Amino acid sequence: MSGSILISPAIRRRSVSVAMKVAVIGSGISGAVCASTLARNGVSVTIFDSGRGPGGRTSQRREVGEDGKELTFDHGAPFFSVTNSDAMALVHEWESRGFVSQWKQVFGSFDCASNKFLAIIQQEGDANNNKKYVGVPGMNSISKALCNQSGVESMFGTGIAKLEWLEEEIPWLLTDSKGQNLGRFDGVVASDKNIASPRFTQLTGLPPPLDLNLVPELATKLQDIPVFPCFSLMLAFKEPLSLIPAKGLSFKNSEILSWAHCDSTKPGRSTDSERWILHSTPGYASSVIAKTGLQKLSSETLDKISEEMFKEFQCSGLVSSLPFFMKAHRWGSAFPAKSIAVEERCLWDRNRNLAICGDFCVSPNVQGAILSGLAAASKLLQASSCL
């Protein structure tokens, strides 16, 4: 799939003349990259997302402290790196447009058994594969910019309840949870792995939007994608945690914590307070979810999780003060445990112009999401040239 962002002039001309209409479900990195690439090549794109805004796992959380001031947290993916040339070209373009920047800080690894740092590394970003990138002023700035691409219409707060295949000229009909008709489309891109998963039923009590009988050749791959759950804990301190020599650190020998980073040290962030985000281990999150299920957690349960995660952070001896803000968030299925289309980079049904893309196709990170979104766009653009 190398060179998937380079679309031939012939495909570009024909896609413009046909004015193909595509629905993209999900505005995370993969869906946003796909939508932007399609729109830049003449396709009419509508993005649907049940959330209030774009980003998926790169969304930014906005909270309000006791003093009434706004606090922002990149509570999902803290940063990303790229090694693939296609992804790198896109990221360099984003840098030039000002909504992505390198995060040059000190990173380390902390051993909770000995309460000592195992490694401290200054990230100068000399080589591409060592550079850590962030969205500016938030991780969701990437999806925001791509969803505002000319030719892309974004509909947030709109969950898809049904994808219906009609044997007609414009074959796809989308409806929302209220049964409202959302429009007809020539093609569909689903960047939400739950679109055809039993997990959708577990969460909503409703059948998945996509009937797998329509795409039996894709069904086995989509049926049950294993995931790692995670809790993130958002913390805000009035004073810097001066005992921590790194602004991003992984934890070893902890059953509760896997990662922590100082959000307020990223480019373009407010420095009114020092804001840290902790990520739990998958094992800790799984043990909590085994007791609580997938329903919405009570404030009491979230408070307990916050206390347990912060206590582990305190036990490191690195925390010199108490936070004035503390709140936990559950990522129930954000981190895929396997990749289902590494070579193809997306799933594709050419008979129905249906693409399934996401980091669960390539690799469980932002680069994997980028590459999968590009691959899905390439498939749809090739299809548009045949209309």
PDB file of all heavy atoms in Angstrom, residues 110-117 241-245 249 251 257 309-321:
ATOM      1  N   PHE A 110      10.442   4.118  35.322  1.00  0.00           N
ATOM      2  CA  PHE A 110      10.536   4.084  36.785  1.00  0.00           C
ATOM      3  C   PHE A 110      10.154   2.711  37.304  1.00  0.00           C
ATOM      4  O   PHE A 110       9.122   2.151  36.927  1.00  0.00           O
ATOM      5  CB  PHE A 110       9.602   5.144  37.388  1.00  0.00           C
ATOM      6  CG  PHE A 110       9.726   5.281  38.877  1.00  0.00           C
ATOM      7  CD1 PHE A 110      10.741   6.035  39.438  1.00  0.00           C
ATOM      8  CD2 PHE A 110       8.821   4.646  39.725  1.00  0.00           C
ATOM      9  CE1 PHE A 110      10.863   6.167  40.815  1.00  0.00           C
ATOM     10  CE2 PHE A 110       8.926   4.765  41.098  1.00  0.00           C
ATOM     11  CZ  PHE A 110       9.946   5.531  41.652  1.00  0.00           C
ATOM     12  N   ASP A 111      10.988   2.153  38.157  1.00  0.00           N
ATOM     13  CA  ASP A 111      10.759   0.838  38.745  1.00  0.00           C
ATOM     14  C   ASP A 111      10.078   0.996  40.106  1.00  0.00           C
ATOM     15  O   ASP A 111      10.681   1.529  41.045  1.00  0.00           O
ATOM     16  CB  ASP A 111      12.088   0.098  38.896  1.00  0.00           C
ATOM     17  CG  ASP A 111      11.914  -1.292  39.497  1.00  0.00           C
ATOM     18  OD1 ASP A 111      10.779  -1.813  39.461  1.00  0.00           O
ATOM     19  OD2 ASP A 111      12.910  -1.850  39.999  1.00  0.00           O
ATOM     20  N   CYS A 112       8.841   0.547  40.205  1.00  0.00           N
ATOM     21  CA  CYS A 112       8.091   0.693  41.459  1.00  0.00           C
ATOM     22  C   CYS A 112       8.559  -0.278  42.542  1.00  0.00           C
ATOM     23  O   CYS A 112       8.229  -0.093  43.727  1.00  0.00           O
ATOM     24  CB  CYS A 112       6.596   0.496  41.190  1.00  0.00           C
ATOM     25  SG  CYS A 112       5.862   1.827  40.239  1.00  0.00           S
ATOM     26  N   ALA A 113       9.312  -1.308  42.174  1.00  0.00           N
ATOM     27  CA  ALA A 113       9.830  -2.245  43.175  1.00  0.00           C
ATOM     28  C   ALA A 113      10.983  -1.629  43.960  1.00  0.00           C
ATOM     29  O   ALA A 113      11.065  -1.744  45.184  1.00  0.00           O
ATOM     30  CB  ALA A 113      10.277  -3.541  42.493  1.00  0.00           C
ATOM     31  N   SER A 114      11.874  -0.952  43.246  1.00  0.00           N
ATOM     32  CA  SER A 114      13.029  -0.332  43.906  1.00  0.00           C
ATOM     33  C   SER A 114      12.849   1.166  44.120  1.00  0.00           C
ATOM     34  O   SER A 114      13.668   1.806  44.783  1.00  0.00           O
ATOM     35  CB  SER A 114      14.286  -0.551  43.054  1.00  0.00           C
ATOM     36  OG  SER A 114      14.138   0.071  41.782  1.00  0.00           O
ATOM     37  N   ASN A 115      11.747   1.731  43.580  1.00  0.00           N
ATOM     38  CA  ASN A 115      11.500   3.180  43.627  1.00  0.00           C
ATOM     39  C   ASN A 115      12.673   3.977  43.056  1.00  0.00           C
ATOM     40  O   ASN A 115      13.107   4.990  43.615  1.00  0.00           O
ATOM     41  CB  ASN A 115      11.188   3.649  45.056  1.00  0.00           C
ATOM     42  CG  ASN A 115       9.714   3.469  45.400  1.00  0.00           C
ATOM     43  OD1 ASN A 115       8.976   2.793  44.664  1.00  0.00           O
ATOM     44  ND2 ASN A 115       9.274   4.057  46.491  1.00  0.00           N
ATOM     45  N   LYS A 116      13.170   3.487  41.917  1.00  0.00           N
ATOM     46  CA  LYS A 116      14.283   4.156  41.249  1.00  0.00           C
ATOM     47  C   LYS A 116      14.016   4.259  39.749  1.00  0.00           C
ATOM     48  O   LYS A 116      13.314   3.428  39.168  1.00  0.00           O
ATOM     49  CB  LYS A 116      15.589   3.377  41.467  1.00  0.00           C
ATOM     50  CG  LYS A 116      16.090   3.382  42.902  1.00  0.00           C
ATOM     51  CD  LYS A 116      17.395   2.604  43.008  1.00  0.00           C
ATOM     52  CE  LYS A 116      17.916   2.603  44.454  1.00  0.00           C
ATOM     53  NZ  LYS A 116      19.166   1.822  44.577  1.00  0.00           N
ATOM     54  N   PHE A 117      14.581   5.286  39.139  1.00  0.00           N
ATOM     55  CA  PHE A 117      14.503   5.413  37.685  1.00  0.00           C
ATOM     56  C   PHE A 117      15.500   4.459  37.036  1.00  0.00           C
ATOM     57  O   PHE A 117      16.658   4.361  37.463  1.00  0.00           O
ATOM     58  CB  PHE A 117      14.804   6.848  37.247  1.00  0.00           C
ATOM     59  CG  PHE A 117      13.597   7.746  37.297  1.00  0.00           C
ATOM     60  CD1 PHE A 117      13.307   8.475  38.438  1.00  0.00           C
ATOM     61  CD2 PHE A 117      12.732   7.829  36.214  1.00  0.00           C
ATOM     62  CE1 PHE A 117      12.186   9.292  38.501  1.00  0.00           C
ATOM     63  CE2 PHE A 117      11.616   8.632  36.255  1.00  0.00           C
ATOM     64  CZ  PHE A 117      11.329   9.373  37.402  1.00  0.00           C
ATOM     65  N   LEU A 241       5.728  19.217  40.034  1.00  0.00           N
ATOM     66  CA  LEU A 241       6.223  18.041  40.760  1.00  0.00           C
ATOM     67  C   LEU A 241       7.735  17.963  40.507  1.00  0.00           C
ATOM     68  O   LEU A 241       8.213  17.233  39.642  1.00  0.00           O
ATOM     69  CB  LEU A 241       5.499  16.780  40.291  1.00  0.00           C
ATOM     70  CG  LEU A 241       3.975  16.760  40.487  1.00  0.00           C
ATOM     71  CD1 LEU A 241       3.407  15.406  40.088  1.00  0.00           C
ATOM     72  CD2 LEU A 241       3.599  17.083  41.930  1.00  0.00           C
ATOM     73  N   SER A 242       8.472  18.712  41.288  1.00  0.00           N
ATOM     74  CA  SER A 242       9.902  18.921  41.028  1.00  0.00           C
ATOM     75  C   SER A 242      10.760  17.686  41.267  1.00  0.00           C
ATOM     76  O   SER A 242      11.921  17.638  40.854  1.00  0.00           O
ATOM     77  CB  SER A 242      10.425  20.085  41.884  1.00  0.00           C
ATOM     78  OG  SER A 242      10.166  19.846  43.261  1.00  0.00           O
ATOM     79  N   LEU A 243      10.201  16.666  41.949  1.00  0.00           N
ATOM     80  CA  LEU A 243      10.971  15.450  42.216  1.00  0.00           C
ATOM     81  C   LEU A 243      11.024  14.506  41.011  1.00  0.00           C
ATOM     82  O   LEU A 243      11.766  13.525  41.018  1.00  0.00           O
ATOM     83  CB  LEU A 243      10.380  14.701  43.419  1.00  0.00           C
ATOM     84  CG  LEU A 243      10.410  15.448  44.761  1.00  0.00           C
ATOM     85  CD1 LEU A 243       9.727  14.611  45.844  1.00  0.00           C
ATOM     86  CD2 LEU A 243      11.849  15.779  45.160  1.00  0.00           C
ATOM     87  N   ILE A 244      10.227  14.804  39.992  1.00  0.00           N
ATOM     88  CA  ILE A 244      10.183  13.935  38.806  1.00  0.00           C
ATOM     89  C   ILE A 244      11.077  14.535  37.726  1.00  0.00           C
ATOM     90  O   ILE A 244      10.784  15.607  37.194  1.00  0.00           O
ATOM     91  CB  ILE A 244       8.753  13.776  38.271  1.00  0.00           C
ATOM     92  CG1 ILE A 244       7.820  13.289  39.380  1.00  0.00           C
ATOM     93  CG2 ILE A 244       8.730  12.804  37.095  1.00  0.00           C
ATOM     94  CD1 ILE A 244       6.379  13.111  38.941  1.00  0.00           C
ATOM     95  N   PRO A 245      12.176  13.870  37.372  1.00  0.00           N
ATOM     96  CA  PRO A 245      13.103  14.420  36.378  1.00  0.00           C
ATOM     97  C   PRO A 245      12.634  14.242  34.931  1.00  0.00           C
ATOM     98  O   PRO A 245      13.263  14.775  34.022  1.00  0.00           O
ATOM     99  CB  PRO A 245      14.388  13.617  36.628  1.00  0.00           C
ATOM    100  CG  PRO A 245      13.904  12.306  37.154  1.00  0.00           C
ATOM    101  CD  PRO A 245      12.679  12.610  37.969  1.00  0.00           C
ATOM    102  N   LEU A 249       6.858   9.066  31.694  1.00  0.00           N
ATOM    103  CA  LEU A 249       7.551   7.913  32.254  1.00  0.00           C
ATOM    104  C   LEU A 249       6.672   6.671  32.245  1.00  0.00           C
ATOM    105  O   LEU A 249       5.458   6.739  32.476  1.00  0.00           O
ATOM    106  CB  LEU A 249       8.035   8.192  33.680  1.00  0.00           C
ATOM    107  CG  LEU A 249       7.029   8.602  34.749  1.00  0.00           C
ATOM    108  CD1 LEU A 249       7.515   8.130  36.125  1.00  0.00           C
ATOM    109  CD2 LEU A 249       6.852  10.103  34.794  1.00  0.00           C
ATOM    110  N   PHE A 251       6.008   2.859  33.900  1.00  0.00           N
ATOM    111  CA  PHE A 251       6.185   2.235  35.218  1.00  0.00           C
ATOM    112  C   PHE A 251       6.451   0.743  35.054  1.00  0.00           C
ATOM    113  O   PHE A 251       5.770   0.055  34.287  1.00  0.00           O
ATOM    114  CB  PHE A 251       4.936   2.424  36.077  1.00  0.00           C
ATOM    115  CG  PHE A 251       4.708   3.843  36.509  1.00  0.00           C
ATOM    116  CD1 PHE A 251       3.838   4.664  35.795  1.00  0.00           C
ATOM    117  CD2 PHE A 251       5.365   4.369  37.604  1.00  0.00           C
ATOM    118  CE1 PHE A 251       3.623   5.967  36.171  1.00  0.00           C
ATOM    119  CE2 PHE A 251       5.161   5.691  37.996  1.00  0.00           C
ATOM    120  CZ  PHE A 251       4.285   6.489  37.277  1.00  0.00           C
ATOM    121  N   LEU A 257      -0.298   1.084  37.605  1.00  0.00           N
ATOM    122  CA  LEU A 257       0.099   2.140  36.675  1.00  0.00           C
ATOM    123  C   LEU A 257       1.018   1.621  35.569  1.00  0.00           C
ATOM    124  O   LEU A 257       1.906   0.808  35.819  1.00  0.00           O
ATOM    125  CB  LEU A 257       0.822   3.267  37.420  1.00  0.00           C
ATOM    126  CG  LEU A 257       0.019   4.022  38.477  1.00  0.00           C
ATOM    127  CD1 LEU A 257       0.877   5.122  39.092  1.00  0.00           C
ATOM    128  CD2 LEU A 257      -1.267   4.608  37.899  1.00  0.00           C
ATOM    129  N   MET A 309      -5.353   4.822  41.948  1.00  0.00           N
ATOM    130  CA  MET A 309      -4.294   5.174  41.000  1.00  0.00           C
ATOM    131  C   MET A 309      -3.384   6.260  41.567  1.00  0.00           C
ATOM    132  O   MET A 309      -2.156   6.186  41.429  1.00  0.00           O
ATOM    133  CB  MET A 309      -4.907   5.620  39.671  1.00  0.00           C
ATOM    134  CG  MET A 309      -5.576   4.488  38.896  1.00  0.00           C
ATOM    135  SD  MET A 309      -6.306   5.024  37.319  1.00  0.00           S
ATOM    136  CE  MET A 309      -4.820   5.458  36.380  1.00  0.00           C
ATOM    137  N   PHE A 310      -3.978   7.246  42.225  1.00  0.00           N
ATOM    138  CA  PHE A 310      -3.148   8.315  42.784  1.00  0.00           C
ATOM    139  C   PHE A 310      -2.290   7.806  43.942  1.00  0.00           C
ATOM    140  O   PHE A 310      -1.127   8.215  44.093  1.00  0.00           O
ATOM    141  CB  PHE A 310      -4.010   9.493  43.245  1.00  0.00           C
ATOM    142  CG  PHE A 310      -3.189  10.629  43.793  1.00  0.00           C
ATOM    143  CD1 PHE A 310      -2.339  11.344  42.968  1.00  0.00           C
ATOM    144  CD2 PHE A 310      -3.247  10.961  45.136  1.00  0.00           C
ATOM    145  CE1 PHE A 310      -1.555  12.384  43.472  1.00  0.00           C
ATOM    146  CE2 PHE A 310      -2.474  11.997  45.652  1.00  0.00           C
ATOM    147  CZ  PHE A 310      -1.630  12.713  44.809  1.00  0.00           C
ATOM    148  N   LYS A 311      -2.843   6.904  44.744  1.00  0.00           N
ATOM    149  CA  LYS A 311      -2.072   6.338  45.856  1.00  0.00           C
ATOM    150  C   LYS A 311      -0.831   5.613  45.330  1.00  0.00           C
ATOM    151  O   LYS A 311       0.259   5.721  45.907  1.00  0.00           O
ATOM    152  CB  LYS A 311      -2.941   5.384  46.666  1.00  0.00           C
ATOM    153  CG  LYS A 311      -2.242   4.823  47.895  1.00  0.00           C
ATOM    154  CD  LYS A 311      -3.161   3.922  48.702  1.00  0.00           C
ATOM    155  CE  LYS A 311      -2.443   3.353  49.926  1.00  0.00           C
ATOM    156  NZ  LYS A 311      -3.337   2.451  50.712  1.00  0.00           N
ATOM    157  N   GLU A 312      -0.988   4.883  44.224  1.00  0.00           N
ATOM    158  CA  GLU A 312       0.160   4.198  43.623  1.00  0.00           C
ATOM    159  C   GLU A 312       1.196   5.210  43.148  1.00  0.00           C
ATOM    160  O   GLU A 312       2.415   4.991  43.272  1.00  0.00           O
ATOM    161  CB  GLU A 312      -0.311   3.319  42.462  1.00  0.00           C
ATOM    162  CG  GLU A 312       0.772   2.493  41.799  1.00  0.00           C
ATOM    163  CD  GLU A 312       1.150   1.237  42.581  1.00  0.00           C
ATOM    164  OE1 GLU A 312       0.713   1.105  43.749  1.00  0.00           O
ATOM    165  OE2 GLU A 312       1.868   0.395  42.030  1.00  0.00           O
ATOM    166  N   PHE A 313       0.723   6.309  42.596  1.00  0.00           N
ATOM    167  CA  PHE A 313       1.614   7.383  42.152  1.00  0.00           C
ATOM    168  C   PHE A 313       2.357   7.971  43.350  1.00  0.00           C
ATOM    169  O   PHE A 313       3.574   8.227  43.296  1.00  0.00           O
ATOM    170  CB  PHE A 313       0.780   8.454  41.448  1.00  0.00           C
ATOM    171  CG  PHE A 313       1.573   9.436  40.615  1.00  0.00           C
ATOM    172  CD1 PHE A 313       2.756   9.083  39.984  1.00  0.00           C
ATOM    173  CD2 PHE A 313       1.117  10.744  40.455  1.00  0.00           C
ATOM    174  CE1 PHE A 313       3.460   9.991  39.201  1.00  0.00           C
ATOM    175  CE2 PHE A 313       1.806  11.661  39.680  1.00  0.00           C
ATOM    176  CZ  PHE A 313       2.986  11.291  39.066  1.00  0.00           C
ATOM    177  N   GLN A 314       1.647   8.169  44.454  1.00  0.00           N
ATOM    178  CA  GLN A 314       2.263   8.703  45.678  1.00  0.00           C
ATOM    179  C   GLN A 314       3.318   7.764  46.249  1.00  0.00           C
ATOM    180  O   GLN A 314       4.361   8.202  46.744  1.00  0.00           O
ATOM    181  CB  GLN A 314       1.196   8.946  46.741  1.00  0.00           C
ATOM    182  CG  GLN A 314       0.444  10.259  46.638  1.00  0.00           C
ATOM    183  CD  GLN A 314      -0.476  10.461  47.817  1.00  0.00           C
ATOM    184  OE1 GLN A 314      -1.276   9.584  48.155  1.00  0.00           O
ATOM    185  NE2 GLN A 314      -0.374  11.613  48.463  1.00  0.00           N
ATOM    186  N   CYS A 315       3.039   6.460  46.167  1.00  0.00           N
ATOM    187  CA  CYS A 315       3.955   5.466  46.737  1.00  0.00           C
ATOM    188  C   CYS A 315       5.316   5.463  46.045  1.00  0.00           C
ATOM    189  O   CYS A 315       6.292   4.920  46.570  1.00  0.00           O
ATOM    190  CB  CYS A 315       3.334   4.072  46.674  1.00  0.00           C
ATOM    191  SG  CYS A 315       1.996   3.826  47.865  1.00  0.00           S
ATOM    192  N   SER A 316       5.382   6.058  44.866  1.00  0.00           N
ATOM    193  CA  SER A 316       6.652   6.142  44.150  1.00  0.00           C
ATOM    194  C   SER A 316       7.617   7.102  44.841  1.00  0.00           C
ATOM    195  O   SER A 316       8.821   7.073  44.586  1.00  0.00           O
ATOM    196  CB  SER A 316       6.409   6.626  42.710  1.00  0.00           C
ATOM    197  OG  SER A 316       5.931   7.961  42.717  1.00  0.00           O
ATOM    198  N   GLY A 317       7.065   7.972  45.700  1.00  0.00           N
ATOM    199  CA  GLY A 317       7.896   8.982  46.344  1.00  0.00           C
ATOM    200  C   GLY A 317       8.178  10.174  45.453  1.00  0.00           C
ATOM    201  O   GLY A 317       8.972  11.053  45.814  1.00  0.00           O
ATOM    202  N   LEU A 318       7.504  10.226  44.294  1.00  0.00           N
ATOM    203  CA  LEU A 318       7.763  11.301  43.328  1.00  0.00           C
ATOM    204  C   LEU A 318       6.810  12.479  43.487  1.00  0.00           C
ATOM    205  O   LEU A 318       7.037  13.539  42.908  1.00  0.00           O
ATOM    206  CB  LEU A 318       7.631  10.753  41.892  1.00  0.00           C
ATOM    207  CG  LEU A 318       8.561   9.599  41.508  1.00  0.00           C
ATOM    208  CD1 LEU A 318       8.186   9.065  40.133  1.00  0.00           C
ATOM    209  CD2 LEU A 318      10.009  10.080  41.518  1.00  0.00           C
ATOM    210  N   VAL A 319       5.749  12.285  44.251  1.00  0.00           N
ATOM    211  CA  VAL A 319       4.691  13.299  44.344  1.00  0.00           C
ATOM    212  C   VAL A 319       4.873  14.128  45.610  1.00  0.00           C
ATOM    213  O   VAL A 319       4.806  13.599  46.730  1.00  0.00           O
ATOM    214  CB  VAL A 319       3.300  12.642  44.329  1.00  0.00           C
ATOM    215  CG1 VAL A 319       2.206  13.696  44.323  1.00  0.00           C
ATOM    216  CG2 VAL A 319       3.161  11.728  43.118  1.00  0.00           C
ATOM    217  N   SER A 320       5.094  15.408  45.438  1.00  0.00           N
ATOM    218  CA  SER A 320       5.414  16.272  46.570  1.00  0.00           C
ATOM    219  C   SER A 320       4.222  17.066  47.104  1.00  0.00           C
ATOM    220  O   SER A 320       4.339  17.753  48.107  1.00  0.00           O
ATOM    221  CB  SER A 320       6.526  17.253  46.162  1.00  0.00           C
ATOM    222  OG  SER A 320       6.169  17.929  44.963  1.00  0.00           O
ATOM    223  N   SER A 321       3.079  16.998  46.426  1.00  0.00           N
ATOM    224  CA  SER A 321       1.907  17.744  46.878  1.00  0.00           C
ATOM    225  C   SER A 321       0.639  17.041  46.417  1.00  0.00           C
ATOM    226  O   SER A 321       0.688  16.115  45.601  1.00  0.00           O
ATOM    227  CB  SER A 321       1.941  19.177  46.332  1.00  0.00           C
ATOM    228  OG  SER A 321       1.939  19.163  44.912  1.00  0.00           O
TER     229      SER A 321
END
